[in-house]
Amino acid sequence: KTRVAILISGRGSNMVSVIEAAKAPDYPAEIALVLSNRPEAAGLKRAAEAGIPAKAIDHTPFANRESFDAALDAALREAGIDLVCLAGFMRIFSAGFVEAWAGRMINIHPSLLPLFRGTHTHKQALAAGVRLHGCTVHYVVPELDAGPIIAQAAVPVLPGDDPESLADRVIVQEHRLYPKALALVAAGHAPLKDGRVDFAAACGAEGSL
Ligand code: GAR
């Protein structure tokens, strides 16, 4: 099975959805490690409770981005990780780290990319007046939230929504989408071809994702 590390910074609800899905015997990935750049992240405790090796690598004592990323890279290699899943990991990587894990690192982002990159995506969506919003799983490239799209799920924007009500609707879809998208990637059914995901391979394997 593909050995996956999940990187978090906070509560880890997407991490939990992936850990749960990976319990199925036929799931093509095993969650071998959880890492957080924040020692106080609630998700670390949830991972440990689920029996997954979980540790913090606090970014604050590191002199620069490169040295923190080198520590992260060493921990991933030591654990024999094949694929990195970012799940609410709120730290930008150095280009060198992203290149080292190119095609082997995915992220979930709370918007329908390429709309609303960065933070406060629900606020951005409301300000733009869109009627559909959602989430995206994509490969990570050096440019923030700009990598090849693997899977998306949409939700309606409803009258009276505020960023919190919209976030509550999107996160339900995140929890559904991420385990499916990870399974596709882990099984080799969402390969990169000319800088995009090869949808012929993806759809053949998983139908309506
Ligand atoms: C999720 O909504 C995820 O999409 C978002 O942070 C939240 C983490 O929640 N990620 C980003 O904004 C990445 N730039 P979780 O810790 O409960 O999974």
Side-chain angles (χ1 to χ4, degrees), residues 37-68:
N37 65 313
R38 293 188 183 278
E40 73 280 11
L44 278 176
K45 195 162 162 267
R46 299 175 83 177
E49 282 165 6
I52 312 286
K55 80 171 189 177
I57 302 180
D58 186 352
H59 67 271
T60 53
F62 288 91
N64 52 41
R65 212 172 276 292
E66 284 72 21
S67 56
F68 170 72

PDB file of all heavy atoms in Angstrom, residues 37-68:
ATOM      1  N   ASN A  37       3.087  21.392  12.117  1.00  0.00           N
ATOM      2  CA  ASN A  37       4.066  22.444  12.382  1.00  0.00           C
ATOM      3  C   ASN A  37       3.708  23.207  13.655  1.00  0.00           C
ATOM      4  O   ASN A  37       4.481  24.038  14.107  1.00  0.00           O
ATOM      5  CB  ASN A  37       4.156  23.426  11.209  1.00  0.00           C
ATOM      6  CG  ASN A  37       2.879  24.200  11.002  1.00  0.00           C
ATOM      7  OD1 ASN A  37       1.789  23.617  10.988  1.00  0.00           O
ATOM      8  ND2 ASN A  37       2.971  25.510  10.836  1.00  0.00           N
ATOM      9  N   ARG A  38       2.524  22.895  14.214  1.00  0.00           N
ATOM     10  CA  ARG A  38       2.087  23.553  15.460  1.00  0.00           C
ATOM     11  C   ARG A  38       1.897  22.494  16.538  1.00  0.00           C
ATOM     12  O   ARG A  38       0.995  21.662  16.423  1.00  0.00           O
ATOM     13  CB  ARG A  38       0.765  24.297  15.244  1.00  0.00           C
ATOM     14  CG  ARG A  38       0.889  25.468  14.308  1.00  0.00           C
ATOM     15  CD  ARG A  38      -0.398  26.276  14.291  1.00  0.00           C
ATOM     16  NE  ARG A  38      -0.308  27.369  13.348  1.00  0.00           N
ATOM     17  CZ  ARG A  38       0.284  28.537  13.615  1.00  0.00           C
ATOM     18  NH1 ARG A  38       0.803  28.747  14.810  1.00  0.00           N
ATOM     19  NH2 ARG A  38       0.344  29.482  12.700  1.00  0.00           N
ATOM     20  N   PRO A  39       2.722  22.552  17.596  1.00  0.00           N
ATOM     21  CA  PRO A  39       2.621  21.535  18.662  1.00  0.00           C
ATOM     22  C   PRO A  39       1.243  21.491  19.305  1.00  0.00           C
ATOM     23  O   PRO A  39       0.816  20.437  19.780  1.00  0.00           O
ATOM     24  CB  PRO A  39       3.679  21.994  19.679  1.00  0.00           C
ATOM     25  CG  PRO A  39       4.609  22.874  18.923  1.00  0.00           C
ATOM     26  CD  PRO A  39       3.822  23.516  17.823  1.00  0.00           C
ATOM     27  N   GLU A  40       0.527  22.605  19.317  1.00  0.00           N
ATOM     28  CA  GLU A  40      -0.768  22.657  20.010  1.00  0.00           C
ATOM     29  C   GLU A  40      -1.929  22.216  19.100  1.00  0.00           C
ATOM     30  O   GLU A  40      -3.084  22.239  19.541  1.00  0.00           O
ATOM     31  CB  GLU A  40      -1.022  24.074  20.550  1.00  0.00           C
ATOM     32  CG  GLU A  40      -1.363  25.131  19.497  1.00  0.00           C
ATOM     33  CD  GLU A  40      -0.153  25.691  18.745  1.00  0.00           C
ATOM     34  OE1 GLU A  40       0.957  25.129  18.876  1.00  0.00           O
ATOM     35  OE2 GLU A  40      -0.338  26.672  17.995  1.00  0.00           O
ATOM     36  N   ALA A  41      -1.648  21.810  17.877  1.00  0.00           N
ATOM     37  CA  ALA A  41      -2.732  21.433  16.950  1.00  0.00           C
ATOM     38  C   ALA A  41      -3.587  20.305  17.541  1.00  0.00           C
ATOM     39  O   ALA A  41      -3.062  19.252  17.924  1.00  0.00           O
ATOM     40  CB  ALA A  41      -2.146  21.001  15.611  1.00  0.00           C
ATOM     41  N   ALA A  42      -4.889  20.527  17.581  1.00  0.00           N
ATOM     42  CA  ALA A  42      -5.805  19.528  18.159  1.00  0.00           C
ATOM     43  C   ALA A  42      -5.750  18.215  17.391  1.00  0.00           C
ATOM     44  O   ALA A  42      -5.957  17.143  17.960  1.00  0.00           O
ATOM     45  CB  ALA A  42      -7.223  20.085  18.169  1.00  0.00           C
ATOM     46  N   GLY A  43      -5.449  18.293  16.103  1.00  0.00           N
ATOM     47  CA  GLY A  43      -5.411  17.098  15.275  1.00  0.00           C
ATOM     48  C   GLY A  43      -4.354  16.089  15.701  1.00  0.00           C
ATOM     49  O   GLY A  43      -4.505  14.885  15.460  1.00  0.00           O
ATOM     50  N   LEU A  44      -3.276  16.544  16.337  1.00  0.00           N
ATOM     51  CA  LEU A  44      -2.212  15.626  16.758  1.00  0.00           C
ATOM     52  C   LEU A  44      -2.751  14.604  17.755  1.00  0.00           C
ATOM     53  O   LEU A  44      -2.445  13.408  17.668  1.00  0.00           O
ATOM     54  CB  LEU A  44      -1.062  16.401  17.406  1.00  0.00           C
ATOM     55  CG  LEU A  44      -0.046  17.051  16.478  1.00  0.00           C
ATOM     56  CD1 LEU A  44       0.966  17.848  17.298  1.00  0.00           C
ATOM     57  CD2 LEU A  44       0.681  15.997  15.631  1.00  0.00           C
ATOM     58  N   LYS A  45      -3.574  15.091  18.678  1.00  0.00           N
ATOM     59  CA  LYS A  45      -4.146  14.210  19.697  1.00  0.00           C
ATOM     60  C   LYS A  45      -5.121  13.228  19.032  1.00  0.00           C
ATOM     61  O   LYS A  45      -5.136  12.042  19.354  1.00  0.00           O
ATOM     62  CB  LYS A  45      -4.872  15.073  20.739  1.00  0.00           C
ATOM     63  CG  LYS A  45      -5.201  14.351  22.005  1.00  0.00           C
ATOM     64  CD  LYS A  45      -5.506  15.339  23.136  1.00  0.00           C
ATOM     65  CE  LYS A  45      -6.263  14.641  24.256  1.00  0.00           C
ATOM     66  NZ  LYS A  45      -7.718  14.731  24.152  1.00  0.00           N
ATOM     67  N   ARG A  46      -5.889  13.740  18.097  1.00  0.00           N
ATOM     68  CA  ARG A  46      -6.867  12.879  17.413  1.00  0.00           C
ATOM     69  C   ARG A  46      -6.151  11.782  16.626  1.00  0.00           C
ATOM     70  O   ARG A  46      -6.615  10.647  16.563  1.00  0.00           O
ATOM     71  CB  ARG A  46      -7.751  13.720  16.490  1.00  0.00           C
ATOM     72  CG  ARG A  46      -8.541  14.776  17.238  1.00  0.00           C
ATOM     73  CD  ARG A  46      -9.312  15.683  16.310  1.00  0.00           C
ATOM     74  NE  ARG A  46     -10.586  15.108  15.894  1.00  0.00           N
ATOM     75  CZ  ARG A  46     -11.458  15.738  15.122  1.00  0.00           C
ATOM     76  NH1 ARG A  46     -11.196  16.951  14.651  1.00  0.00           N
ATOM     77  NH2 ARG A  46     -12.592  15.178  14.796  1.00  0.00           N
ATOM     78  N   ALA A  47      -5.009  12.116  16.028  1.00  0.00           N
ATOM     79  CA  ALA A  47      -4.236  11.115  15.282  1.00  0.00           C
ATOM     80  C   ALA A  47      -3.679  10.055  16.222  1.00  0.00           C
ATOM     81  O   ALA A  47      -3.779   8.851  15.951  1.00  0.00           O
ATOM     82  CB  ALA A  47      -3.099  11.796  14.522  1.00  0.00           C
ATOM     83  N   ALA A  48      -3.124  10.513  17.345  1.00  0.00           N
ATOM     84  CA  ALA A  48      -2.554   9.568  18.321  1.00  0.00           C
ATOM     85  C   ALA A  48      -3.645   8.637  18.843  1.00  0.00           C
ATOM     86  O   ALA A  48      -3.420   7.430  18.990  1.00  0.00           O
ATOM     87  CB  ALA A  48      -1.894  10.337  19.461  1.00  0.00           C
ATOM     88  N   GLU A  49      -4.835   9.192  19.091  1.00  0.00           N
ATOM     89  CA  GLU A  49      -5.962   8.370  19.562  1.00  0.00           C
ATOM     90  C   GLU A  49      -6.344   7.308  18.527  1.00  0.00           C
ATOM     91  O   GLU A  49      -6.828   6.240  18.881  1.00  0.00           O
ATOM     92  CB  GLU A  49      -7.178   9.258  19.859  1.00  0.00           C
ATOM     93  CG  GLU A  49      -7.072   9.980  21.195  1.00  0.00           C
ATOM     94  CD  GLU A  49      -8.065  11.131  21.344  1.00  0.00           C
ATOM     95  OE1 GLU A  49      -8.931  11.304  20.450  1.00  0.00           O
ATOM     96  OE2 GLU A  49      -7.959  11.858  22.343  1.00  0.00           O
ATOM     97  N   ALA A  50      -6.126   7.641  17.265  1.00  0.00           N
ATOM     98  CA  ALA A  50      -6.442   6.692  16.199  1.00  0.00           C
ATOM     99  C   ALA A  50      -5.295   5.701  15.975  1.00  0.00           C
ATOM    100  O   ALA A  50      -5.353   4.866  15.065  1.00  0.00           O
ATOM    101  CB  ALA A  50      -6.761   7.446  14.908  1.00  0.00           C
ATOM    102  N   GLY A  51      -4.248   5.829  16.772  1.00  0.00           N
ATOM    103  CA  GLY A  51      -3.136   4.889  16.682  1.00  0.00           C
ATOM    104  C   GLY A  51      -2.144   5.199  15.574  1.00  0.00           C
ATOM    105  O   GLY A  51      -1.362   4.339  15.163  1.00  0.00           O
ATOM    106  N   ILE A  52      -2.158   6.440  15.083  1.00  0.00           N
ATOM    107  CA  ILE A  52      -1.229   6.827  14.015  1.00  0.00           C
ATOM    108  C   ILE A  52      -0.043   7.561  14.649  1.00  0.00           C
ATOM    109  O   ILE A  52      -0.249   8.450  15.480  1.00  0.00           O
ATOM    110  CB  ILE A  52      -1.917   7.800  13.015  1.00  0.00           C
ATOM    111  CG1 ILE A  52      -3.296   7.300  12.565  1.00  0.00           C
ATOM    112  CG2 ILE A  52      -1.000   8.103  11.839  1.00  0.00           C
ATOM    113  CD1 ILE A  52      -3.307   6.171  11.610  1.00  0.00           C
ATOM    114  N   PRO A  53       1.192   7.195  14.262  1.00  0.00           N
ATOM    115  CA  PRO A  53       2.342   7.961  14.764  1.00  0.00           C
ATOM    116  C   PRO A  53       2.170   9.439  14.407  1.00  0.00           C
ATOM    117  O   PRO A  53       1.948   9.778  13.236  1.00  0.00           O
ATOM    118  CB  PRO A  53       3.535   7.346  14.023  1.00  0.00           C
ATOM    119  CG  PRO A  53       3.070   5.991  13.585  1.00  0.00           C
ATOM    120  CD  PRO A  53       1.587   6.105  13.364  1.00  0.00           C
ATOM    121  N   ALA A  54       2.222  10.285  15.422  1.00  0.00           N
ATOM    122  CA  ALA A  54       1.946  11.710  15.197  1.00  0.00           C
ATOM    123  C   ALA A  54       2.975  12.535  15.935  1.00  0.00           C
ATOM    124  O   ALA A  54       3.264  12.279  17.104  1.00  0.00           O
ATOM    125  CB  ALA A  54       0.548  12.045  15.713  1.00  0.00           C
ATOM    126  N   LYS A  55       3.564  13.499  15.225  1.00  0.00           N
ATOM    127  CA  LYS A  55       4.515  14.348  15.942  1.00  0.00           C
ATOM    128  C   LYS A  55       4.500  15.768  15.397  1.00  0.00           C
ATOM    129  O   LYS A  55       4.121  16.020  14.249  1.00  0.00           O
ATOM    130  CB  LYS A  55       5.911  13.743  15.936  1.00  0.00           C
ATOM    131  CG  LYS A  55       6.727  13.931  14.696  1.00  0.00           C
ATOM    132  CD  LYS A  55       8.163  13.448  14.972  1.00  0.00           C
ATOM    133  CE  LYS A  55       9.090  13.816  13.840  1.00  0.00           C
ATOM    134  NZ  LYS A  55      10.480  13.436  14.093  1.00  0.00           N
ATOM    135  N   ALA A  56       4.926  16.669  16.278  1.00  0.00           N
ATOM    136  CA  ALA A  56       5.029  18.075  15.889  1.00  0.00           C
ATOM    137  C   ALA A  56       6.460  18.384  15.504  1.00  0.00           C
ATOM    138  O   ALA A  56       7.394  17.913  16.151  1.00  0.00           O
ATOM    139  CB  ALA A  56       4.601  18.957  17.050  1.00  0.00           C
ATOM    140  N   ILE A  57       6.609  19.143  14.438  1.00  0.00           N
ATOM    141  CA  ILE A  57       7.900  19.773  14.150  1.00  0.00           C
ATOM    142  C   ILE A  57       7.594  21.274  14.138  1.00  0.00           C
ATOM    143  O   ILE A  57       7.079  21.808  13.153  1.00  0.00           O
ATOM    144  CB  ILE A  57       8.488  19.309  12.796  1.00  0.00           C
ATOM    145  CG1 ILE A  57       8.663  17.783  12.796  1.00  0.00           C
ATOM    146  CG2 ILE A  57       9.842  19.986  12.564  1.00  0.00           C
ATOM    147  CD1 ILE A  57       9.229  17.221  11.499  1.00  0.00           C
ATOM    148  N   ASP A  58       7.827  21.882  15.280  1.00  0.00           N
ATOM    149  CA  ASP A  58       7.501  23.300  15.469  1.00  0.00           C
ATOM    150  C   ASP A  58       8.359  24.139  14.516  1.00  0.00           C
ATOM    151  O   ASP A  58       9.597  24.035  14.538  1.00  0.00           O
ATOM    152  CB  ASP A  58       7.786  23.654  16.929  1.00  0.00           C
ATOM    153  CG  ASP A  58       7.342  25.062  17.287  1.00  0.00           C
ATOM    154  OD1 ASP A  58       6.949  25.824  16.377  1.00  0.00           O
ATOM    155  OD2 ASP A  58       7.404  25.387  18.479  1.00  0.00           O
ATOM    156  N   HIS A  59       7.712  24.959  13.705  1.00  0.00           N
ATOM    157  CA  HIS A  59       8.498  25.726  12.733  1.00  0.00           C
ATOM    158  C   HIS A  59       9.182  26.937  13.374  1.00  0.00           C
ATOM    159  O   HIS A  59      10.133  27.477  12.815  1.00  0.00           O
ATOM    160  CB  HIS A  59       7.617  26.186  11.562  1.00  0.00           C
ATOM    161  CG  HIS A  59       6.578  27.192  11.947  1.00  0.00           C
ATOM    162  ND1 HIS A  59       5.333  26.824  12.385  1.00  0.00           N
ATOM    163  CD2 HIS A  59       6.604  28.540  11.987  1.00  0.00           C
ATOM    164  CE1 HIS A  59       4.624  27.902  12.671  1.00  0.00           C
ATOM    165  NE2 HIS A  59       5.374  28.952  12.442  1.00  0.00           N
ATOM    166  N   THR A  60       8.724  27.342  14.560  1.00  0.00           N
ATOM    167  CA  THR A  60       9.200  28.636  15.087  1.00  0.00           C
ATOM    168  C   THR A  60      10.700  28.703  15.412  1.00  0.00           C
ATOM    169  O   THR A  60      11.295  29.759  15.196  1.00  0.00           O
ATOM    170  CB  THR A  60       8.354  29.089  16.301  1.00  0.00           C
ATOM    171  OG1 THR A  60       8.318  28.046  17.276  1.00  0.00           O
ATOM    172  CG2 THR A  60       6.938  29.432  15.894  1.00  0.00           C
ATOM    173  N   PRO A  61      11.336  27.613  15.903  1.00  0.00           N
ATOM    174  CA  PRO A  61      12.780  27.774  16.184  1.00  0.00           C
ATOM    175  C   PRO A  61      13.667  27.770  14.945  1.00  0.00           C
ATOM    176  O   PRO A  61      14.862  28.077  15.053  1.00  0.00           O
ATOM    177  CB  PRO A  61      13.118  26.552  17.060  1.00  0.00           C
ATOM    178  CG  PRO A  61      11.872  25.785  17.248  1.00  0.00           C
ATOM    179  CD  PRO A  61      10.847  26.290  16.303  1.00  0.00           C
ATOM    180  N   PHE A  62      13.139  27.413  13.789  1.00  0.00           N
ATOM    181  CA  PHE A  62      13.987  27.320  12.598  1.00  0.00           C
ATOM    182  C   PHE A  62      14.307  28.713  12.050  1.00  0.00           C
ATOM    183  O   PHE A  62      13.464  29.605  12.068  1.00  0.00           O
ATOM    184  CB  PHE A  62      13.309  26.472  11.515  1.00  0.00           C
ATOM    185  CG  PHE A  62      13.287  25.003  11.856  1.00  0.00           C
ATOM    186  CD1 PHE A  62      12.216  24.458  12.543  1.00  0.00           C
ATOM    187  CD2 PHE A  62      14.350  24.180  11.523  1.00  0.00           C
ATOM    188  CE1 PHE A  62      12.178  23.109  12.882  1.00  0.00           C
ATOM    189  CE2 PHE A  62      14.338  22.826  11.856  1.00  0.00           C
ATOM    190  CZ  PHE A  62      13.247  22.291  12.540  1.00  0.00           C
ATOM    191  N   ALA A  63      15.536  28.832  11.555  1.00  0.00           N
ATOM    192  CA  ALA A  63      16.017  30.145  11.115  1.00  0.00           C
ATOM    193  C   ALA A  63      15.315  30.609   9.850  1.00  0.00           C
ATOM    194  O   ALA A  63      15.092  31.803   9.645  1.00  0.00           O
ATOM    195  CB  ALA A  63      17.526  30.093  10.887  1.00  0.00           C
ATOM    196  N   ASN A  64      14.950  29.660   9.011  1.00  0.00           N
ATOM    197  CA  ASN A  64      14.308  30.054   7.755  1.00  0.00           C
ATOM    198  C   ASN A  64      13.452  28.894   7.225  1.00  0.00           C
ATOM    199  O   ASN A  64      13.441  27.798   7.784  1.00  0.00           O
ATOM    200  CB  ASN A  64      15.357  30.462   6.710  1.00  0.00           C
ATOM    201  CG  ASN A  64      16.430  29.390   6.553  1.00  0.00           C
ATOM    202  OD1 ASN A  64      16.109  28.191   6.536  1.00  0.00           O
ATOM    203  ND2 ASN A  64      17.670  29.802   6.454  1.00  0.00           N
ATOM    204  N   ARG A  65      12.740  29.189   6.156  1.00  0.00           N
ATOM    205  CA  ARG A  65      11.833  28.216   5.539  1.00  0.00           C
ATOM    206  C   ARG A  65      12.574  26.945   5.110  1.00  0.00           C
ATOM    207  O   ARG A  65      12.102  25.832   5.328  1.00  0.00           O
ATOM    208  CB  ARG A  65      11.192  28.892   4.318  1.00  0.00           C
ATOM    209  CG  ARG A  65       9.795  28.455   4.020  1.00  0.00           C
ATOM    210  CD  ARG A  65       9.165  29.299   2.937  1.00  0.00           C
ATOM    211  NE  ARG A  65       8.572  30.533   3.432  1.00  0.00           N
ATOM    212  CZ  ARG A  65       7.498  30.601   4.203  1.00  0.00           C
ATOM    213  NH1 ARG A  65       6.889  29.513   4.616  1.00  0.00           N
ATOM    214  NH2 ARG A  65       7.016  31.759   4.598  1.00  0.00           N
ATOM    215  N   GLU A  66      13.744  27.122   4.503  1.00  0.00           N
ATOM    216  CA  GLU A  66      14.496  25.982   3.968  1.00  0.00           C
ATOM    217  C   GLU A  66      14.879  24.994   5.075  1.00  0.00           C
ATOM    218  O   GLU A  66      14.812  23.780   4.885  1.00  0.00           O
ATOM    219  CB  GLU A  66      15.757  26.450   3.233  1.00  0.00           C
ATOM    220  CG  GLU A  66      15.507  27.051   1.855  1.00  0.00           C
ATOM    221  CD  GLU A  66      14.856  28.423   1.896  1.00  0.00           C
ATOM    222  OE1 GLU A  66      14.935  29.105   2.948  1.00  0.00           O
ATOM    223  OE2 GLU A  66      14.241  28.824   0.887  1.00  0.00           O
ATOM    224  N   SER A  67      15.306  25.513   6.228  1.00  0.00           N
ATOM    225  CA  SER A  67      15.768  24.603   7.286  1.00  0.00           C
ATOM    226  C   SER A  67      14.586  23.853   7.902  1.00  0.00           C
ATOM    227  O   SER A  67      14.704  22.664   8.233  1.00  0.00           O
ATOM    228  CB  SER A  67      16.585  25.344   8.345  1.00  0.00           C
ATOM    229  OG  SER A  67      15.848  26.409   8.887  1.00  0.00           O
ATOM    230  N   PHE A  68      13.438  24.511   8.032  1.00  0.00           N
ATOM    231  CA  PHE A  68      12.241  23.799   8.514  1.00  0.00           C
ATOM    232  C   PHE A  68      11.835  22.721   7.503  1.00  0.00           C
ATOM    233  O   PHE A  68      11.560  21.570   7.874  1.00  0.00           O
ATOM    234  CB  PHE A  68      11.076  24.772   8.732  1.00  0.00           C
ATOM    235  CG  PHE A  68       9.766  24.073   8.982  1.00  0.00           C
ATOM    236  CD1 PHE A  68       9.522  23.421  10.187  1.00  0.00           C
ATOM    237  CD2 PHE A  68       8.778  24.045   7.995  1.00  0.00           C
ATOM    238  CE1 PHE A  68       8.312  22.763  10.417  1.00  0.00           C
ATOM    239  CE2 PHE A  68       7.563  23.387   8.219  1.00  0.00           C
ATOM    240  CZ  PHE A  68       7.332  22.743   9.430  1.00  0.00           C
TER     241      PHE A  68
END
